[in-house]
Every structure is written in C-alpha cells, then in structure tokens.
Amino acid sequence: MGDAQLQSDESRTTAYLDSLSGYNVNPLWTVMEAAVPPKPAPKAVPHLWNYETIRPKLLEAAKLIAAEQAERRVLMLTNPKLSEFGSFRKRK
C-alpha cells in the first residue's frame, strides 16, 4: 500500500471516528487493550462480610433513616481495596 493510500485511509478513519460522537457510540477496538488487558490486574481483594457483624448497622439504618429520606435503606458491600468508591456520604 502506498503512502497516498495510507494517508487517505487514515483520513477516512479519522473522519469516521469523529462522526461517531453524534450517535453516542465509541469504537471498542481503540480501547480494547486497556479495557481487557492481556493479563488480569484486579484491584479488589477477597473479603468476607459477616452478617452478624453488619446486622446491627442494618437495624440502625432502619431506625435512623426514614422511608421519606431514602427509597431503599441498603448497605452496599464495598471491597476495601476499591478506594475509588470511597465514601458515599453526601457532601454539603
């Protein structure tokens, strides 16, 4: 393939990729390596949530948080190593 053909293909590809934004879609092949790395690199660690330990906090939420304040009074099980989820408390 000649240089002129390669530049033409690159221009068409760039135009195509630019045209996708209006459709709210993105090409997976441009991020596939980051999304699915050759070797897994998990951040989460094994963790055990003991119901008997957490149960008092569940009951406390039921007493403290009125149904008008929250449709669901649910405590999420959050892996201790997934710090990007951090604290879900509303900030004032």
Side-chain angles (χ1 to χ4, degrees):
M1 188 180 304
D3 287 343
Q5 179 65 36
L6 187 58
Q7 286 178 336
S8 174
D9 287 348
E10 287 178 12
S11 296
R12 287 177 34 213
T13 300
T14 299
Y16 169 74
L17 294 174
D18 290 343
S19 75
L20 294 177
S21 65
Y23 296 90
N24 294 312
V25 298
N26 290 291
L28 179 61
W29 64 89
T30 64
V31 295
M32 186 67 167
E33 189 172 319
V36 183
K39 290 184 178 180
K43 294 178 183 175
V45 296
H47 187 76
L48 178 64
W49 290 267
N50 182 285
Y51 176 71
E52 293 304 320
T53 302
I54 297 172
R55 185 174 186 272
K57 290 299 183 184
L58 294 166
L59 296 174
E60 185 177 352
K63 291 177 185 174
L64 184 63
I65 308 300
E68 296 80 25
Q69 291 177 277
E71 184 177 333
R72 299 278 188 254
R73 291 167 287 187
V74 175
L75 295 181
M76 297 186 300
L77 303 178
T78 306
N79 191 279
K81 289 294 183 177
L82 297 181
S83 61
E84 62 265 25
F85 294 108
S87 174
F88 284 89
R89 286 179 281 173
K90 288 185 180 178
R91 290 172 174 70
K92 296 179 181 176

